[in-house]
Amino acid sequence: MKNKGLYITTIIFFLLVNTTYYWEGKLGLFAIPAFILLVAVYLGLAIALLRQIYFAVKEQFKQSHRFILIGLLTTVLLLTYFKPLGIVDFDKFEVTDILVAEREGAANCLTTLKLKDDYTFRERIGCFGISEIKGTYRVANDTIYFDNIELGRQEESFYKFAVIKSTKFDNSKIFGDLIRYKDLTDTVGHFLWITKNDLNKLKDKKPNR
């Protein structure tokens, strides 16, 4: 098959882009080089597309295999351009989010914490790389406790518990502050803004053990 390497590169690139949801969080600081590499490959494929179009014109459109390759490259490049995070939103296939809290810090570093309907949680930190922390949680009165922590590549510790308090911000999209504490001696805490709160739906459910 002519241009076999280009076919393989295009397909692998497409698969990597559309599965970033599963592997990006495991790279930690290596997420940035991976992103740069994908951008470089994208630009390389764009150049390859222009070359294939040039050859097709030069051959007076007599090579049918050229049309297949041009079609594949065009499709992959356009889908990636309009759907850079992938054509499938895998987050929709996971367990329902009961509580979502986030905060954007310095240098556009974004922390997003999601408490799931099955008493698991996932925190995603985008700051000069991507890191994820997973675990389980339990609710006792007005306190949320975090258990079974699986730290990301860049993390050394996580919070022991969190409480919900009224926010000082006048914003209809913020439903409160989630203040997280390292331990009982932590008097400062670290807060996130709650953008979704359906914890009341857990009242009739029992946590998984």
Side-chain angles (χ1 to χ4, degrees):
M1 179 190 294
K2 293 184 178 181
N3 298 302
K4 181 178 179 181
L6 185 54
Y7 275 105
I8 294 175
T9 300
T10 304
I11 293 173
I12 292 177
F13 171 79
F14 181 75
L15 293 175
L16 287 175
V17 169
N18 284 273
T19 56
T20 53
Y21 178 85
Y22 291 104
W23 57 261
E24 188 178 36
K26 297 179 173 61
L27 296 182
L29 290 174
F30 294 103
I32 294 179
F35 172 76
I36 295 174
L37 178 60
L38 288 178
V39 172
V41 174
Y42 181 88
L43 295 176
L45 293 178
I47 294 173
L49 173 60
L50 294 177
R51 291 184 72 253
Q52 293 302 315
I53 293 175
Y54 167 78
F55 289 135
V57 173
K58 187 177 181 179
E59 297 162 353
Q60 298 182 347
F61 304 100
K62 294 181 180 180
Q63 300 292 334
S64 59
H65 72 87
R66 194 82 65 188
F67 291 105
I68 297 175
L69 184 54
I70 290 174
L72 176 62
L73 285 167
T74 301
T75 300
V76 169
L77 290 173
L78 287 177
L79 287 176
T80 303
Y81 179 81
F82 289 107
K83 296 285 186 178
L85 299 180
I87 59 177
V88 179
D89 185 359
F90 290 102
D91 195 46
K92 292 183 178 179
F93 296 100
E94 292 201 348
V95 181
T96 303
D97 296 330
I98 288 296
L99 184 144
V100 178
E102 58 188 13
R103 182 182 180 184
E104 184 173 343
N108 293 322
C109 295
L110 180 64
T111 298
T112 303
L113 173 67
K114 294 183 178 181
L115 304 187
K116 301 290 186 174
D117 184 59
D118 61 351
Y119 287 91
T120 63
F121 76 85
R122 173 182 292 174
E123 178 170 284
R124 184 181 179 88
I125 306 168
C127 188
F128 304 107
I130 303 295
S131 179
E132 282 189 347
I133 298 175
K134 300 178 182 179
T136 61
Y137 71 93
R138 51 193 170 89
V139 181
N141 297 322
D142 62 346
T143 305
I144 300 170
Y145 295 93
F146 302 107
D147 303 308
N148 305 309
I149 310 299
E150 297 180 21
L151 296 174
R153 293 176 61 93
Q154 302 169 238
E155 309 302 323
E156 297 180 356
S157 63
F158 193 66
Y159 303 93
K160 296 294 184 181
F161 64 94
V163 295
I164 296 176
K165 295 183 179 180
S166 299
T167 184
K168 299 178 181 179
F169 296 92
D170 185 14
N171 189 325
S172 60
K173 295 182 179 180
I174 299 178
F175 302 105
D177 294 340
L178 184 69
I179 316 296
R180 302 180 299 168
Y181 298 92
K182 292 290 187 179
D183 50 45
L184 293 176
T185 64
D186 184 358
T187 58
V188 178
H190 180 272
F191 77 90
L192 303 174
W193 297 309
I194 299 172
T195 56
K196 177 179 180 180
N197 187 0
D198 288 333
L199 280 176
N200 60 306
K201 294 183 179 180
L202 292 176
K203 292 181 179 180
D204 298 327
K205 294 176 62 64
K206 293 183 179 180
N208 296 327
R209 298 295 184 183

